[in-house]
Every structure is written in structure tokens, then in C-alpha cells.
Amino acid sequence: MRWLALPLLVVSAAACATKSTGRLVSLEDGSTIVLQMEFSRWGGTMTGTHPITGERFAGDYTATQGRAAGIAGGTAVYVENYSAHGAGVLVGDKGTVLDCQLNINAGRPPRGNGTCTDQHGRRYRLQF
């Protein structure tokens, strides 16, 4: 039986983390929180400050990659894709809690998007 596996390239094979900048945009008033993001193999951290309220946010996320299986020429083939789905929480120092879902695409730095919702139902768009 032959196996074909393409590694998830969210970061290089080295164990070091990749840093990038993202934006968290309020769908209520358009305010934008600039996020400092750190990506490692299966997760990372996010920090930022709300430009109007001054609330500081910090949190982390974890990610899982998908894997597709199929038969090619009578041989089982497993292919890991170059994207991952993540979930995380950002907690503000003034009591706001954001539940976030991320779609992460391979690269250096990784790129992607997502959504976050706070405990009051306010929605945000995440872009990185």
C-alpha cells in the first residue's frame, strides 16, 4: 500500500513561530483592532488593543488540518491539505470575551480570515 502525504505548511518544518499582523473589524461600528498574531504548528496567540475603548485583548487558538482519502489507480492515497481550521478566545481586560473561528491558509506568514462574536452577540470579521 502506498501513502502520499503532503504536510501542512502553516509554518516551516522548524519549530519556530511565525509572527504576522491581523485586523479584527467590528461589524457594528467599523472600528478596527490591530492584532499581533503568532502562528506555530497547531495554534498560536493573538493580542491587540481596541482603538476607541482602550481595552486590551489577549488569547490563543488551536488549529486542526483536514485530510482527504481516496483511491488512485487501485492504491489508497491520503492527502493532507494546505489549510487548517482554528478556534480561539480573546479576553479583554474590561470584560469582553470574543469567541473566534479561523480559516488558515499555508504560507509564511500564514494568511486567512475568520469571525468572532462577543458575549453580547456583536460580530467581528478577522482578516490576517
Side-chain angles (χ1 to χ4, degrees):
M1 188 177 258
R2 208 172 91 202
W3 300 80
L4 173 64
L6 300 175
L8 173 65
L9 296 177
V10 172
V11 296
S12 70
C16 64
T18 300
K19 294 182 180 183
S20 184
T21 301
R23 299 181 320 137
L24 188 61
V25 180
S26 168
L27 298 180
E28 183 176 286
D29 63 12
S31 58
T32 300
I33 300 170
V34 176
L35 293 176
Q36 298 306 311
M37 302 180 74
E38 188 170 297
F39 301 89
S40 61
R41 185 166 174 93
W42 301 113
T45 61
M46 302 178 283
T47 60
T49 302
H50 194 288
I52 298 170
T53 67
E55 186 169 13
R56 292 185 307 256
F57 290 90
D60 56 13
Y61 71 91
T62 57
T64 57
Q65 77 183 83
R67 185 164 89 165
I71 304 292
T75 303
V77 178
Y78 287 85
V79 178
E80 296 180 20
N81 64 37
Y82 290 92
S83 64
H85 298 286
V89 175
L90 280 166
V91 178
D93 62 357
K94 295 183 179 179
T96 303
V97 179
L98 296 167
D99 175 33
C100 301
Q101 303 297 313
L102 297 83
N103 299 305
I104 305 165
N105 294 308
R108 191 152 179 91
R111 297 286 180 215
N113 59 58
T115 59
C116 298
T117 305
D118 72 16
Q119 73 268 33
H120 304 292
R122 291 184 289 253
R123 298 179 313 136
Y124 300 80
R125 177 69 60 199
L126 176 60
Q127 301 166 323
F128 56 94

